[in-house]
Amino acid sequence: MPATPTAPSAAPAGKKKKRGRARLLLIVLVLAIVAGVGYGTYWSVSTVRASFPQASGELTLDGLTQPVDVKRDANGIPQIYASTDADLFRAQGYVQAQDRFWEMDVRRHMTSGRLAEMFGSGQVETDAFLRTLGWRQVAQKEYDEKLSPETKKYLQAYAAGVNEYLKGRSSKDVSVEYAALGFTTDYTIEEWTPVDSVAWLKAMAWDLRGNMQDEIDRSLMTSRMDKKQIDELYPKYPFDRHKPIVEENLAKGGSSGSSGNGFGTDARGASGTGTSTGGTGTGTSTGGTGTSTGGSAGRNAGTGGTGTGTGTGTGTSTGASSNTGVGSTQGLQTQLSRISANLDKIPALLGPNGNGIGSNSWVVAGSKTTTGKPLLANDPHLAPQMPSLWYQMGLHCREISSQCQYDTAGYTFSGMPGVVIGHNQDIAWGMTNLGADVSDLYLEKVGPNNTYLYDNKEKPFTTRVETIKVAGGGSKKITVRSTENGPLISDRNTEMESVGQKAPVTNSAPDRGNGYAVALKWTALQPGKSMDAVFEMNRAKNFKEFQGAAGHFEVPSQNLIYADTAGNIGYQAPGTIPIRSSGHDGRMPVAGWDSKNNWKGYIAQSRMPYEYNPKRGYIVTANQAVVDSRKYPDLKLTEDWGYGARSQRINDLIESKTKDGGKISTDDMRTMQMDNSSEIAKLLTPYLLKIDINDEQIREAQKLLEGWDYTQESDSAAAAYFNGVWRNILKLAFGNKMPKELRVTGQCLYVRSADGPVDDLAKPTRECGERDADSAQPDGGDRWFEVVRNLVKDEKSDWWSSPASRTDKATTTRDELFARAMEDARWELTAKLGKNIKTWNWGRLHQLTLKNQTLGTEGPGFIQHLLNRGPWNLGGGEAAVNATGWNAAGGYEVVWVPSMRMVVNLSDLDKSRWINLTGSSGHAYHSNYSDQTEKWAKGELLDWSFTKAAVDKSTTETLVLKPGPPG
């Protein structure tokens, strides 16, 4: 991921430690690596190559019952052939460990809150937060209490295969990163366990958790904005322009429209985990808007506020040390800001949570394809990293029988058995994030003697003690507290000083006393059967069996798209989706002391929306609304959908291609995946071209937009300039009006603040942003498209007001602000790309660098050069189908990407195509480390062999795994 901008020296103390989500490398490790260069060429070449896997010949693998063949093509993609299920998954564990064990090991330390054991004291806070969430405990319960005996057998076989690979190997022979780690620690690799695999689903669920960040952001906005303004920044879904996923069928058993409509309720209980203690406080303040100047290049304008407030409070932190907290006047905003900072620290392996996390998938029926059978496409939009999150693989039984049930291929997660997205011999499936609201923040009234208020009674917290071990010696103990609603995540940061200043509660709320804490209620914190669903999906033969598997895919909630070789297409929405009480819409934190705010159960899977062979002949899912909530108001999945820019573009492309009897080919599907068209450019460019520009240099840039077709090719100067203008429109109209907790770290404005003494309110103060660049606002996603679309015809909206800066007059109208944004963009791009606009192109701004998510994110050039690759100049953009996403608040660098692309041909599976972001290998300088990236960047796809004859033809290396001696 792109590095977070460094805060200036004048930034508030303590903010720098919030600078990234996955900054796992300690300074001491960096220094040790530099010192290690003295080992010379031997270390850099011999050690790197020592971990390359054996891909041909024969090896003995204890525990196998019969030989297993591992056939790799020129891209190192393995296809495994076995005679029993257990042999198949044992071999899968062995092969994935060969290629990706470092990645697997870091993941399991993250999901269990044990990063400090590998990387030292800098990860204690992250571990503490992860322990508070309790992913590992939930995964253990899933394994012990929920998963089928068959699934457990597969997990055990997979773990045994991993451990067979590790047996007898020193850490430096497993991966080069261990050799670097060995300079500073005596870390020893542990055996893999089945629960290590199950826990990965919790990390997947965390990154796809829905609207938690929106809930926090809306709460933080209340310090600067009123309800009307916040609602304008979170507009309603545009159902009249952007189609939902499901239009024809809805759910088995009935349709919605009023109470008692047939949507069932699941009686599954909700349980929580807990946390340790932190500071509390009370306070009140009022604020308004003001003016300020400052910021990047002296051109940014900001807003300010006035207010008064007082507060006091106390708090304790249980563990190796204790502290007393002092209340402040920031209340809930301070509390949620700290929580948001903690969220940023958790390594988001799938990408920045929020509007950017998404995916495209669509399926076209055979009546509209050149093959006469369905075509299915999928490209999940996730974090770019080295190696890619995905691992391509085929899992084949030599003969399908009760002893060996699988013949499937696709994209897997290293560390987890089975195929996550792909196809078997009968069906194909893809996934996009449904975005259901599966989490809520609850305000908790903390009482004396370690209690909290619940229905007018004091209840004791549920507590547990966690010991965090730290590399290099020592450990830290924390106490995890939980309520009826879940873990107290506000306990986790000892810097929190107060809570509750503007908590969204009624006048009947209890006295704040020592302040409100904040608990997290989340469906993933209760055991489920999602691991069962993976295997059930892998062996499903028809839509009915596919729906049965979907019923167990509880978290994360995904849009599941389907096609089969018989010619059917379908869609199923799965997931554990809570039913909330009336008056509780999940958009803001809610009072936890009143049981009336409890979840009332879950939407029964039998009532979840689906489609099967719709008359229109295609289904598109791209994170848009699942159903039209105006027609089905009782089906409450979320109020924070993606806004449908990508999905509607795909719908339009399909309709355009198939009108008048046209047919769609496999290559058409690939071309659609690379579509770069910008919806916001189509809307705004006509307005920008009508503005009178007197400055010749700015007029020169404006002319780039004349005749532009709104596509964002890498070599497009118009795309570069428009996106620069869009970024500056967002900054001037919205970004500079955001509270500091939502602005980018290091971006500073002069504001009139309620933080200072009452008698000093007239003096503006320098206020610096606190949010990681990848998750700051306004991010420029399609929510912001909709915000601007709703405002653009109102030439005198208050949002177009922007204070004067040292070089620019204040703006009061749309065209004045647009003109200023065009000016600012001209000089910003001049600084970045040069004065001559003929040399400008979008790709030079919009670059992708693939970074190893641990040792490659920071440190000396030596280790980064070893592990990282790039940059690549990319086309595409935010909310385009080719969603090479960038955060407009943070810069133009690519922060999420189509992490893979596939097109499955159900007429001839061997004519399916696929590509990965990187390569199959996780070993630096292996020939398959990044061999697919150049093709991925160009939009090319690789042949995807599936049948044995096709696999044999493409095989370049074969490894035979033979059973070890009996006993």
Side-chain angles (χ1 to χ4, degrees):
M1 301 291 290
T4 306
T6 302
S9 58
K15 304 303 184 189
K16 293 184 180 180
K17 62 184 177 183
K18 301 175 182 177
R19 290 172 48 199
R21 292 188 316 275
R23 310 300 192 239
L24 305 182
L25 183 60
L26 302 176
I27 292 176
V28 65
L29 179 57
V30 174
L31 295 175
I33 290 173
V34 173
V37 176
Y39 282 91
T41 305
Y42 172 81
W43 191 90
S44 61
V45 176
S46 177
T47 304
V48 168
R49 296 185 180 279
S51 58
F52 287 6
Q54 180 178 338
S56 61
E58 295 183 354
L59 287 173
T60 298
L61 183 58
D62 289 349
L64 290 178
T65 61
Q66 298 183 53
V68 173
D69 294 334
V70 182
K71 301 182 178 185
R72 294 180 185 260
D73 64 12
N75 296 105
I77 299 170
Q79 304 275 352
I80 300 177
Y81 289 84
S83 300
T84 70
D85 292 336
D87 285 353
L88 187 65
F89 294 117
R90 186 181 294 261
Q92 183 183 14
Y94 185 91
V95 172
Q96 288 191 338
Q98 278 186 309
D99 286 337
R100 298 282 193 93
F101 186 77
W102 168 264
E103 175 190 8
M104 294 164 58
D105 201 14
V106 171
R107 279 184 188 171
R108 68 164 163 178
H109 278 78
M110 185 197 74
T111 57
S112 58
R114 296 174 56 201
L115 290 169
E117 292 182 24
M118 295 184 77
F119 301 104
S121 59
Q123 294 308 305
V124 169
E125 285 187 25
T126 300
D127 282 349
F129 195 87
L130 292 164
R131 299 285 186 98
T132 296
L133 295 178
W135 291 352
R136 178 73 184 194
Q137 286 86 348
V138 179
Q140 186 70 57
K141 287 183 180 179
E142 286 186 359
Y143 182 79
D144 292 341
E145 303 170 6
K146 292 288 187 177
L147 299 181
S148 70
E150 188 175 48
T151 294
K152 290 182 181 180
K153 181 179 73 173
Y154 298 157
L155 289 165
Q156 291 163 3
Y158 180 91
V162 174
N163 293 329
E164 279 297 306
Y165 174 72
L166 296 175
K167 187 186 298 181
R169 284 184 166 84
S170 66
S171 59
K172 67 180 178 63
D173 292 330
V174 174
S175 187
V176 67
E177 290 92 337
Y178 290 111
L181 200 65
F183 286 130
T184 58
T185 72
D186 56 356
Y187 175 77
T188 301
I189 297 174
E190 297 177 358
E191 287 196 344
W192 193 263
T193 74
V195 180
D196 292 332
S197 296
V198 178
W200 168 237
L201 287 171
K202 299 305 169 187
M204 182 180 175
W206 175 257
D207 281 358
L208 302 175
R209 63 192 178 274
N211 76 336
M212 188 192 301
Q213 194 66 60
D214 287 331
E215 193 171 336
I216 290 171
D217 289 355
R218 281 189 288 260
S219 298
L220 292 170
M221 287 177 185
T222 61
S223 67
R224 289 277 170 86
M225 303 172 191
D226 59 29
K227 183 180 184 301
K228 178 178 178 294
Q229 291 171 318
I230 294 172
D231 286 345
E232 286 177 331
L233 300 187
Y234 288 88
K236 298 292 185 181
Y237 186 90
F239 287 106
D240 293 332
R241 287 184 291 103
H242 295 167
K243 295 178 182 179
I245 297 171
V246 175
E247 300 180 68
E248 298 179 20
N249 303 122
L250 183 61
K252 293 173 284 184
S255 63
S256 179
S258 61
S259 298
N261 55 37
F263 288 106
T265 299
D266 235 336
R268 287 171 286 184
S271 62
T273 59
T275 266
S276 85
T277 62
T280 61
T282 65
T284 61
S285 76
T286 59
T289 60
T291 62
S292 66
T293 60
S296 177
R299 295 187 163 274
N300 297 338
T303 64
T306 62
T308 61
T310 60
T312 60
T314 61
T316 60
S317 174
T318 306
S321 62
S322 63
N323 301 287
T324 299
V326 180
S328 78
T329 62
Q330 293 305 303
L332 182 64
Q333 281 67 41
T334 298
Q335 183 83 343
L336 291 175
S337 173
R338 302 302 188 192
I339 294 170
S340 180
N342 270 331
L343 302 187
D344 273 345
K345 291 176 184 177
I346 296 176
L349 291 182
L350 303 187
N353 182 262
N355 201 39
I357 284 288
S359 303
N360 300 323
S361 71
W362 65 94
V363 61
V364 182
S367 61
K368 293 180 179 291
T369 70
T370 59
T371 67
K373 288 289 179 72
L375 295 172
L376 184 149
N378 196 189
D379 56 284
H381 306 156
L382 304 172
Q385 54 188 297
M386 176 61 75
S388 166
L389 187 78
W390 298 108
Y391 182 92
Q392 297 150 288
M393 183 175 251
L395 300 172
H396 308 277
C397 290
R398 291 192 173 94
E399 292 184 8
I400 301 296
S401 68
S402 60
Q403 300 298 311
C404 203
Q405 305 172 72
Y406 297 89
D407 187 15
T408 186
Y411 295 86
T412 72
F413 288 138
S414 301
M416 200 175 90
V419 169
V420 178
I421 293 174
H423 69 82
N424 61 27
Q425 71 274 31
D426 298 306
I427 75 166
W429 66 95
M431 296 184 189
T432 65
N433 195 26
L434 192 150
D437 187 355
V438 294
S439 63
D440 282 323
L441 298 176
Y442 280 80
L443 300 171
E444 304 287 5
K445 173 66 176 75
V446 178
N449 302 318
N450 205 30
T451 61
Y452 65 98
L453 185 67
Y454 191 74
D455 283 347
N456 296 315
K457 296 179 180 178
E458 296 292 336
K459 295 193 66 172
F461 287 106
T462 300
T463 63
R464 70 176 188 272
V465 176
E466 296 273 354
T467 301
I468 300 172
K469 297 179 181 178
V470 182
S475 62
K476 178 179 180 179
K477 289 187 177 182
I478 62 169
T479 298
V480 178
R481 301 191 298 174
S482 64
T483 72
E484 291 283 334
N485 297 309
L488 284 190
I489 57 175
S490 59
D491 273 357
R492 244 342 4 108
N493 192 311
T494 58
E495 290 181 294
M496 289 188 242
E497 296 175 341
S498 68
V499 297
Q501 184 255 327
K502 282 191 177 181
V505 295
T506 65
N507 292 334
S508 62
D511 183 80
R512 300 181 195 278
N514 289 333
Y516 299 141
V518 181
L520 170 64
K521 193 167 192 172
W522 179 34
T523 56
L525 297 184
Q526 57 195 42
K529 295 184 177 182
S530 294
M531 198 70 238
D532 282 348
V534 172
F535 296 112
E536 291 167 357
M537 208 170 294
N538 281 198
R539 60 178 184 258
K541 298 181 182 301
N542 51 52
F543 191 61
K544 183 178 180 180
E545 292 182 7
F546 181 77
Q547 285 185 302
H552 290 150
F553 206 96
E554 298 174 64
V555 291
S557 183
Q558 298 289 286
N559 296 306
L560 299 177
I561 201 164
Y562 169 93
D564 62 37
T565 55
N568 302 298
I569 65 172
Y571 163 83
Q572 179 66 57
T576 299
I577 316 296
I579 300 172
R580 293 172 173 84
S581 58
S582 60
H584 173 19
D585 61 9
R587 289 172 61 85
M588 287 279 193
V590 68
W593 47 81
D594 190 342
S595 63
K596 292 180 181 178
N597 292 321
N598 285 356
W599 293 348
K600 306 305 179 185
Y602 303 92
I603 299 173
Q605 182 61 36
S606 62
R607 301 298 185 238
M608 289 291 283
Y610 82 102
E611 279 195 325
Y612 188 59
N613 292 329
K615 293 179 182 178
R616 65 184 180 278
Y618 64 89
I619 303 170
V620 175
T621 87
N623 318 115
Q624 78 271 40
V626 174
V627 297
D628 189 335
S629 60
R630 300 172 302 181
K631 298 178 181 178
Y632 306 102
D634 293 330
L635 185 56
K636 302 287 189 182
L637 300 179
T638 186
E639 294 194 15
D640 288 307
W641 302 110
Y643 281 77
R646 283 179 289 108
S647 62
Q648 192 56 47
R649 176 63 177 171
I650 297 167
N651 274 284
D652 293 344
L653 289 170
I654 294 173
E655 289 287 352
S656 174
K657 186 68 180 177
T658 58
K659 70 179 180 181
D660 302 325
K663 303 287 186 179
I664 292 178
S665 68
T666 301
D667 198 56
D668 290 331
M669 300 284 274
R670 180 199 66 81
T671 300
M672 290 165 63
Q673 287 179 325
M674 294 302 294
D675 183 81
N676 288 328
S677 180
S678 169
E679 179 180 310
I680 193 62
K682 291 177 186 177
L683 174 68
L684 293 186
T685 298
Y687 289 94
L688 298 175
L689 288 174
K690 289 178 181 179
I691 295 174
D692 242 351
I693 299 294
N694 295 321
D695 186 297
E696 289 186 7
Q697 295 186 78
I698 300 169
R699 172 64 184 141
E700 182 185 28
Q702 184 187 37
K703 286 182 178 179
L704 291 172
L705 303 179
E706 295 176 356
W708 180 41
D709 62 0
Y710 314 122
T711 60
Q712 302 170 95
E713 300 296 336
S714 175
D715 61 357
S716 171
Y721 182 59
F722 174 80
N723 284 317
V725 175
W726 172 235
R727 167 170 147 83
N728 281 278
I729 287 174
L730 291 170
K731 182 190 297 183
L732 293 169
F734 310 106
N736 293 340
K737 299 178 176 75
M738 293 285 175
K740 64 182 182 297
E741 295 89 352
L742 272 66
R743 299 201 313 269
V744 175
T745 299
Q747 288 188 357
C748 301
L749 304 172
Y750 282 94
V751 302
R752 302 187 188 280
S753 173
D755 295 341
V758 175
D759 60 356
D760 197 31
L761 294 175
K763 297 180 180 180
T765 59
R766 192 166 187 255
E767 180 190 83
C768 296
E770 299 177 355
R771 183 65 66 84
D772 184 273
D774 295 347
S775 56
Q777 293 294 335
D779 61 18
D782 64 356
R783 171 164 69 88
W784 293 99
F785 292 10
E786 199 62 24
V787 170
V788 172
R789 183 185 296 278
N790 291 340
L791 295 172
V792 73
K793 291 183 180 180
D794 183 357
E795 297 182 46
K796 296 185 179 181
S797 167
D798 289 343
W799 291 108
W800 306 132
S801 297
S802 182
S805 72
R806 292 182 302 189
T807 57
D808 294 292
K809 296 179 181 179
T811 68
T812 59
T813 68
R814 177 199 64 206
D815 287 353
E816 287 175 352
L817 186 139
F818 281 12
R820 183 165 158 186
M822 293 171 74
E823 177 186 356
D824 289 355
R826 173 44 156 131
W827 303 125
E828 182 185 10
L829 267 63
T830 296
K832 292 179 179 294
L833 301 178
K835 186 176 181 180
N836 184 359
I837 65 172
K838 294 180 180 179
T839 67
W840 289 4
N841 66 67
W842 176 224
R844 286 176 58 204
L845 279 178
H846 192 53
Q847 292 188 324
L848 168 68
T849 299
L850 295 172
K851 294 187 176 183
N852 178 289
Q853 289 299 285
T854 52
L855 305 187
T857 55
E858 292 182 2
F862 159 68
I863 198 69
Q864 293 196 28
H865 178 76
L866 180 70
L867 299 175
N868 300 342
R869 298 293 181 269
W872 284 267
N873 296 348
L874 298 185
E878 183 61 44
V881 179
N882 182 22
T884 55
W886 54 288
N887 186 308
Y892 301 97
E893 295 84 0
V894 176
V895 296
W896 51 77
V897 293
S899 55
M900 61 79 157
R901 298 187 185 100
M902 75 175 192
V903 178
V904 182
N905 183 334
L906 277 300
S907 174
D908 184 346
L909 292 170
D910 287 330
K911 292 183 179 178
S912 301
R913 312 294 301 281
W914 62 352
I915 198 77
N916 203 353
L917 175 62
T918 63
S920 61
S921 178
H923 300 288
Y925 287 100
H926 192 280
S927 60
N928 300 131
Y929 187 56
S930 59
D931 57 321
Q932 297 186 49
T933 308
E934 194 66 34
K935 291 182 173 65
W936 172 92
K938 295 177 181 177
E940 299 176 11
L941 299 174
L942 301 174
D943 292 336
W944 182 354
S945 300
F946 178 70
T947 64
K948 188 174 185 303
V951 169
D952 286 345
K953 186 176 181 180
S954 63
T955 295
T956 59
E957 293 182 293
T958 300
L959 175 67
V960 179
L961 301 175
K962 291 190 171 183

